[in-house]
Amino acid sequence: MSRSIKRSKTTTDIYHIVHFESDDSIYVFFKKCNFNCRGCIKEKSPWDSHIPDKHIKKLQNAGKLETLDLDGLKKIIDSKKPQKAVLGGGEPTVDENISNIVRILNENDTRTVLLSNGYFLDEEFSRKLISSGLKEACISIKSIDEAMHRNYTSMDNKRVLNNFKTLNDERITLRSESVLIPGLIGTNEIESVADFVSSVNPKIPFRIDPFKEVPSLDYRSPSTEEMKEAQARAEDHLESVSYLNPDAPTTGEVSVLYPNLQEEGKP
Ligand code: SF4
């Protein structure tokens, strides 16, 4: 799959933006993805899991996911002026306006963090994003085993791993993450990912996310003990390893900036 520029319009793939009061950050959701992961969390819900249930209900009633254009994004950023923006799943690099999105955020002094599967982030494209103001990238490495990667994502992992090595040489903060799926992408594989990351640079932080059960994939979520074991195995290779605790309480208000809940809430 190649990344082709088909349009020079101002449309984006952004369909949802949430603000976190605790660190004055926004999380920006993109609609499309170039992977087809069997356990993609978006199978469960396209909406941020931290927002209150009453808002989720309103969003669910809205039906079709409407996307923002660049002017709409600029208005939101101009009025909110967040300290940090996390661009995430789907896959932000599929958006043909991703450089302009990063530029708009950078012009507002918002630190922009890209969460990506890394497939499109070759040297040329990464440099374009960095020159637009991207400060940090976190690459999700699903697996090192090629067959396992293809089975899970439908794509090969060679480009991901090569792009990760290239990113380590760029002027950008680089982080890594993987998802633990007991019975499918288990502790051994998580250790292989950690070993690979270490071979690139043992100082790159690595986070392990627990798989969240989805109807499309018949595997269970890991226990806390399994997460701790995966962390310990990864720590044999890397200096900084953490894991996400999905049960940790969210502090501060979490508000929806897009879609506009007043409009979406109309019957
Ligand atoms: S790369 Fe992420 S957003 Fe894309 S299909 Fe996989 S889990 Fe979903």
Side-chain angles (χ1 to χ4, degrees):
M1 184 183 289
S2 64
R3 194 175 181 286
S4 59
I5 306 294
K6 296 184 192 127
R7 57 187 181 185
S8 57
K9 295 182 185 164
T10 60
T11 53
T12 77
D13 296 338
I14 297 170
Y15 72 90
H16 187 35
I17 304 178
V18 172
H19 179 260
F20 292 85
E21 186 188 42
S22 57
D23 62 353
D24 190 21
S25 69
I26 58 170
Y27 193 104
V28 183
F29 289 77
F30 290 74
K31 201 170 180 179
K32 297 180 195 156
C33 190
N34 49 348
F35 279 19
N36 191 19
C37 298
R38 293 164 61 201
C40 181
I41 188 67
K42 284 174 78 184
E43 290 282 324
K44 204 166 186 176
S45 169
W47 310 113
D48 190 282
S49 59
H50 303 92
I51 57 181
D53 286 348
K54 61 179 182 180
H55 291 162
I56 295 262
K57 283 200 183 98
K58 278 189 180 179
L59 292 167
Q60 282 167 341
N61 290 339
K64 189 168 163 269
L65 301 180
E66 299 288 345
T67 51
L68 260 179
D69 62 14
L70 289 174
D71 280 347
L73 174 68
K74 198 166 175 344
K75 277 189 195 131
I76 290 172
I77 301 304
D78 282 348
S79 82
K80 201 70 186 175
K81 297 197 179 303
Q83 296 278 316
K84 183 170 97 169
V86 180
L87 312 181
E91 174 54 47
T93 61
V94 175
D95 193 314
E96 283 138 13
N97 262 315
I98 185 66
S99 295
N100 288 323
I101 291 166
V102 172
R103 188 169 296 114
I104 286 170
L105 290 159
N106 194 51
E107 282 167 0
N108 276 278
D109 293 329
T110 299
R111 178 181 172 83
T112 306
V113 180
L114 173 69
L115 304 188
S116 172
N117 58 40
Y119 193 85
F120 283 148
L121 287 172
D122 60 15
E123 185 175 297
E124 183 184 353
F125 187 42
S126 299
R127 287 190 176 171
K128 189 173 174 192
L129 294 181
I130 293 166
S131 69
S132 299
L134 183 68
K135 299 290 188 293
E136 185 173 331
C138 178
I139 306 301
S140 177
I141 301 174
K142 314 295 182 195
S143 79
I144 299 301
D145 183 284
E146 208 174 324
M148 189 185 287
H149 193 275
R150 188 171 283 283
N151 172 40
Y152 185 67
T153 69
S154 79
M155 302 291 278
D156 80 78
N157 63 0
K158 283 197 189 74
R159 281 177 59 155
V160 175
L161 303 182
N162 283 337
N163 289 344
F164 188 78
K165 289 179 197 164
T166 306
L167 276 166
N168 183 52
D169 296 328
E170 300 296 336
R171 280 183 296 108
I172 192 171
T173 301
L174 181 59
R175 295 189 289 112
S176 57
E177 65 180 28
S178 284
V179 182
L180 177 63
I181 312 176
L184 185 64
I185 300 177
T187 313
N188 286 345
E189 192 59 24
I190 296 293
E191 183 171 4
S192 296
V193 176
D195 190 32
F196 165 77
V197 172
S198 173
S199 73
V200 176
N201 180 348
K203 294 187 186 305
I204 295 173
F206 180 57
R207 191 183 81 177
I208 305 162
D209 288 351
F211 170 64
K212 288 188 188 163
E213 288 167 26
V214 291
S216 58
L217 189 64
D218 194 16
Y219 285 88
R220 64 171 175 84
S221 300
S223 64
T224 303
E225 287 65 36
E226 287 168 322
M227 293 300 289
K228 285 182 178 166
E229 188 199 338
Q231 181 186 32
R233 297 272 294 271
E235 277 173 341
D236 287 341
H237 304 269
L238 290 162
E239 292 177 16
S240 171
V241 181
S242 59
Y243 70 87
L244 184 71
N245 176 4
D247 300 325
T250 308
T251 54
E253 192 186 347
V254 182
S255 52
V256 178
L257 302 185
Y258 187 81
N260 184 323
L261 281 177
Q262 271 73 43
E263 287 174 17
E264 301 298 342
K266 284 178 188 166

